[in-house]
Amino acid sequence: MHDEPATETAAIETAGLSKSYGRVTVLKGIDLRVARGEVFALLGPNGAGKTTTVRILATLTRPDGGTARVAGHDVVADARRVRRVISLTGQYAAVDENQTGAENLRMMARLRRLSRPQARRRAAELLERFDLADAAGRRVATYSGGMRRRLDLACGLVTDPEVVFLDEPTTGLDPRSRQAMWRVVGELTATGVTVLLTTQYLEEADRLADRIALLDGGRVVAEGTAAELKDRVAAAQLTMVLTSTDAFEAALHALGDRVTQLDSARRSVAVATDGSAAHVRSLLDEIDPGRTAVESFAVREATLDDVFLTLTGTTKETAGV
């Protein structure tokens, strides 16, 4: 990799990043640029390359081609420097269940070469910050999933990293624990930390991310703010429930590749619309000129789910329409 100077405002930069495992190509030339202090989300179906991208940026996996820099350091040539300025929280909490929360934090601080007094102070600060002070003396084996995730993230922050990688940090958490993690991410960026987030929860990306990159098949297929990505798909979605199987099949034939989502079991089909009464009326007249084929319809604003389903290779058949 070439050690070229990074632009002043970039926390993460990749160009042509590629990676294969045997005959399977996982990344096919990823170009990303994440500004300092930004929350940047990577979205995509399973196998799209999200975790591989994070592992390369965190120096855990060596790329086959392309370049990648984190906080100005090349992830191959300057791997040690990269590790000093990053934190990685994976999909599963990596904490010692036989130790208490406070012991985990003190151990991590000592591994990062803080003195014993410094380690104690830092552990106390993080326990308070992550709402774990009351459980500081309890073994982690007794913690809930959300508490373990917060502790895991706290362990990665003992030395105030510049860049934090969160690889599906709220997977499996209940709504209350997920909200708590969202609050923590907001607090991190308020202090100037850059966060790169991968998630399966589109609501999470919509709420947290300043910008989003959508991966599919090892490539970036779309990038922008949540609002920009939604506008790229459509301002709104018209969902129609048809009165019979024949009417449903006729609607699919009439709409063709304009269909964004469908549910055969419910005889439901969705199509993009600009949201105006004139366009909605035109679509209904096209599908149901005799006013007998459409049982009901609804118009709603486009969501990241629509972006995901429209721009990735995910099938349009879904039970969520």
Side-chain angles (χ1 to χ4, degrees), residues 1-4 59 62-63 68-69 73-82:
M1 288 192 159
H2 304 292
D3 196 19
E4 300 172 355
T59 75
R62 190 183 182 98
R69 303 179 70 90
H73 309 300
D74 187 282
V75 299
V76 174
D78 298 326
R80 288 188 178 181
R81 293 182 180 179
V82 171

Side-chain angles (χ1 to χ4, degrees), residues 237-245 247-249 251-252 255 259-271 287 293-298 300 316-321:
Q237 295 281 316
L238 169 66
T239 301
M240 296 169 284
V241 177
L242 285 304
T243 55
S244 66
T245 301
F248 176 72
E249 295 295 337
L252 293 182
L255 292 170
V259 173
T260 57
Q261 296 177 41
L262 61 92
D263 183 347
S264 300
R266 298 181 181 178
R267 303 190 306 274
S268 173
V269 59
V271 63
I287 300 305
V294 175
E295 180 178 297
S296 63
F297 71 91
R300 59 172 174 76
K316 294 175 181 178
E317 181 79 32
T318 174
V321 179

Side-chain angles (χ1 to χ4, degrees), residues 4 33 52 56 70 74 129 163 232-233 247 258 271 312:
E4 300 172 355
R33 188 173 184 279
T52 298
I56 289 173
V70 176
D74 187 282
R129 178 178 176 182
V163 179
R232 175 171 171 175
V233 172
R258 288 180 289 167
V271 63
T312 71

Side-chain angles (χ1 to χ4, degrees), residues 1 23 40 48-49 51 81 94-95 108-109 118 176 181 184 196 208 212-213 215 228 241 250 279:
M1 288 192 159
R23 296 182 178 181
F40 192 93
T51 295
R81 293 182 180 179
V95 290
M108 187 60 64
Q118 288 174 326
R176 188 179 301 277
M181 285 294 291
V184 168
L196 190 144
L208 294 178
I212 298 166
L215 302 185
E228 288 168 347
V241 177
H279 192 224

Side-chain angles (χ1 to χ4, degrees), residues 13-24:
E13 288 182 300
T14 73
L17 204 61
S18 63
K19 180 66 181 177
S20 297
Y21 295 98
R23 296 182 178 181
V24 179

Side-chain angles (χ1 to χ4, degrees), residues 47-71:
K50 303 186 299 297
T51 295
T52 298
T53 301
V54 169
R55 288 183 61 83
I56 289 173
L57 294 173
T59 75
L60 298 177
T61 298
R62 190 183 182 98
D64 295 332
T67 61
R69 303 179 70 90
V70 176

